[in-house]
């Protein structure tokens, strides 16, 4: 129980660090660049968790997971800014729809991970890799449309 509290706090701390870093980087880089960097960073971490699963220990998993969670600080704010930029007149509706979609997606992924649970963290790492890879593909395949949104902000 005590370890969970420390790990949870460390994840929150990393999210705050990356969010603060994001604010500073926005002065130099575009929303799109930071969004792509955040998703690419997470994809690399997910692949490391999967590829070296058998040799990881609790410390390496904790550090990689902290960095993965921290990477959300580069993703959420920039993705949300792009969503609100597209729907300025309907920002309340866009915000609510984004929240509902996030909850539905997260719940679905949690259900799949729990269904595939085998007593290890491997199914979760696989799901993290799949979801991050899909996010990466969506961003890369829609690069021009996202860059146009990012340029307008």
């Amino acid at each position: 129980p005590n370890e969970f509290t420390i790990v949870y706090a460390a994840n929150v701390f990393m999210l705050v660090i990356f969010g603060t870093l994001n604010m500073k980087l926005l002065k130099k880089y575009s929303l799109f660049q930071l969004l792509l960097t955040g998703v690419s960073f997470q994809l690399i971490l997910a692949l490391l968790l999967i590829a070296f699963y058998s040799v990881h220990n609790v410390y390496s998993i904790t550090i990689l997971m902290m960095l993965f969670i921290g990477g959300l600080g580069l993703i959420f704010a920039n993705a949300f800014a792009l969503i609100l930029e597209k729907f300025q007149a309907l920002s309340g509706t866009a915000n609510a729809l984004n929240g509902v979609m996030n909850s539905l997606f997260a719940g679905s992924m949690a259900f799949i991970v729990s269904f595939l649970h085998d007593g290890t963290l491997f199914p979760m790492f696989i799901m993290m890799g799949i979801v991050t890879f899909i996010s990466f593909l969506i961003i890369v395949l829609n690069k021009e449309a996202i860059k146009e949104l990012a340029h307008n902000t």
Side-chain angles (χ1 to χ4, degrees):
N2 292 336
E3 293 84 7
F4 177 79
T5 307
I6 293 168
V7 171
Y8 187 84
N11 282 323
V12 172
F13 179 72
M14 290 303 289
L15 193 55
V16 169
I17 294 294
F18 276 76
T20 303
L21 178 64
N22 183 62
M23 288 189 301
K24 293 178 188 291
L25 291 174
L26 276 171
K27 296 174 184 169
K28 186 173 182 180
Y29 300 100
S30 71
L31 290 171
F32 174 79
Q33 289 172 313
L34 293 174
L35 178 63
L36 183 59
T37 299
V39 172
S40 300
F41 179 66
Q42 279 195 322
L43 183 57
I44 291 166
L45 293 168
L47 292 174
L48 287 172
L49 284 165
I50 294 167
F52 299 106
Y53 173 73
S54 62
V55 296
H56 282 304
N57 58 41
V58 69
Y59 302 107
S60 63
I61 289 173
T62 300
I63 290 168
L64 291 172
M65 289 294 294
M66 285 171 48
L67 292 169
F68 188 91
I69 297 297
L72 294 172
L74 293 175
I75 296 170
F76 283 160
N78 297 311
F80 194 62
L82 289 169
I83 290 168
L84 291 181
E85 179 63 27
K86 177 71 175 171
F87 301 103
Q88 287 180 1
L90 300 168
S91 62
T93 303
N95 186 19
L97 184 59
N98 182 50
V100 168
M101 295 303 294
N102 282 339
S103 295
L104 286 173
F105 188 74
S108 299
M109 295 304 102
F111 173 78
I112 292 170
V113 169
S114 66
F115 180 75
L116 298 174
H117 182 65
D118 62 357
T120 70
L121 294 172
F122 194 67
M124 183 178 74
F125 295 160
I126 292 292
M127 190 58 63
M128 289 166 59
I130 290 170
V131 170
T132 307
F133 181 70
I134 291 170
S135 299
F136 180 80
L137 281 180
I138 289 170
I139 292 168
V140 169
L141 294 175
N142 294 288
K143 180 171 47 175
E144 295 308 316
I146 295 171
K147 278 186 177 180
E148 183 179 322
L149 280 175
H151 180 68
N152 292 334
T153 57

